[in-house]
Amino acid sequence: MPEVPDEELVVALRDGELAAFDRLYVRYERRLYGYIRRIVGESAVADDLFQDIFLKVLRDRSYDPGRGRFAPWLFAVARNACLMAQRSERSHASLRERAQVQLRPAEAAPPDVRIGEAARVQAAMAALPEAQRQLILLKQLGELSYREIARLMGVAEGTIKSRLHAATQAFRRLLTEGGSADEM
C-alpha cells in the first residue's frame, strides 16, 4: 500500500478524518520529539511542547498544502515554539538567579571527565551558537532539505549550505578539541 503524502493527510484531517491525524502523529512522533528535546533539553518541557504542537496541527488552518511540504511547516511551528519556551525559561532563570544570588554557594569547577560519547556530543552541541545548533538539528533531526531550511530561515539556499558547512566544521572541532565555540 503506497504511503499517503502528508499534504493529503492534512486535507483529510480538515475534512474531519481523525485517522489522518493519527497517521501524521505516528509519522512525525520520533523525529519531532527528538528535535524538540534536543533544543529545550528537559523532557518535561519537551513533552508539553510536543503535545502543544500536535494540538496546533489538529486545530490550525494556517498550513496550505498547495504552498509546500508539510514537514517544513511542522518543524517551523516546533522551532518557533521552542524558541519562545527558551526565551521564557531564560527570563524565569534570570529572575530566579537574581533572587538567589546571596544564597548560592561558590560554584564548583565543572568536572573534567565526561562520561561516554553521548556526553561529548551533547556538550559539543550545547557549545555551538544557537543559530548553528538550529541548522544542524533541522538538517539532521528534521530531515529538511537545504531549500526547506532556507525558506524557513528566510535566506538563500546557498547561504544555508555555507552556514551549515561552517556549523558542521565548528561541531567537529568541538568534538575533537573539547573547546568552546567562542574560541573559534
Side-chain angles (χ1 to χ4, degrees):
M1 181 163 121
E3 189 169 296
V4 178
D6 297 340
E7 297 73 22
E8 288 182 26
L9 290 173
V10 170
V11 171
L13 176 61
R14 289 181 180 165
D15 289 340
E17 292 180 37
L18 289 180
F21 176 81
D22 294 338
R23 290 177 77 179
L24 286 170
Y25 185 91
V26 168
R27 192 172 289 175
Y28 285 97
E29 179 180 19
R30 290 183 59 124
R31 280 200 293 172
L32 188 65
Y33 182 79
Y35 174 75
I36 294 167
R37 177 73 166 85
R38 283 178 179 82
I39 291 176
V40 298
E42 295 182 40
S43 60
V45 174
D47 291 344
D48 290 343
L49 283 171
F50 178 77
Q51 290 177 8
D52 290 345
I53 290 163
F54 261 96
L55 283 175
K56 183 174 179 74
V57 168
L58 184 62
R59 291 188 211 125
D60 196 323
R61 297 202 178 257
S62 65
Y63 169 68
D64 178 5
R67 296 191 64 202
R69 287 183 2 134
F70 175 74
W73 177 84
L74 179 63
F75 279 90
V77 169
R79 179 178 177 268
N80 291 336
C82 290
L83 292 175
M84 285 177 38
Q86 284 179 321
R87 278 187 221 115
S88 175
E89 178 56 33
R90 278 194 295 268
S91 173
H92 180 74
S94 174
L95 181 61
R96 187 179 338 122
E97 186 174 313
R98 284 183 288 186
Q100 294 179 350
V101 75
Q102 307 250 337
L103 302 174
R104 188 180 334 158
E107 291 186 27
D112 290 338
V113 178
R114 293 188 177 133
I115 301 172
E117 189 67 20
R120 283 184 53 236
V121 170
Q122 200 170 32
M125 282 299 283
L128 285 172
E130 181 64 25
Q132 289 184 337
R133 185 170 51 248
Q134 283 287 329
L135 283 174
I136 290 173
L137 291 174
L138 285 169
K139 185 66 177 155
Q140 297 303 319
L141 290 175
E143 299 177 11
L144 300 182
S145 70
Y146 293 115
R147 178 174 286 137
E148 291 167 338
I149 296 171
R151 283 189 195 137
L152 175 67
M153 300 290 197
V155 298
E157 187 175 342
T159 303
I160 291 300
K161 288 178 181 179
S162 65
R163 287 180 183 174
L164 189 56
H165 177 74
T168 303
Q169 293 301 316
F171 181 65
R172 285 183 182 144
R173 279 193 296 275
L174 287 167
L175 276 177
T176 59
E177 298 169 5
S180 74
D182 296 333
E183 295 170 1
M184 288 170 227

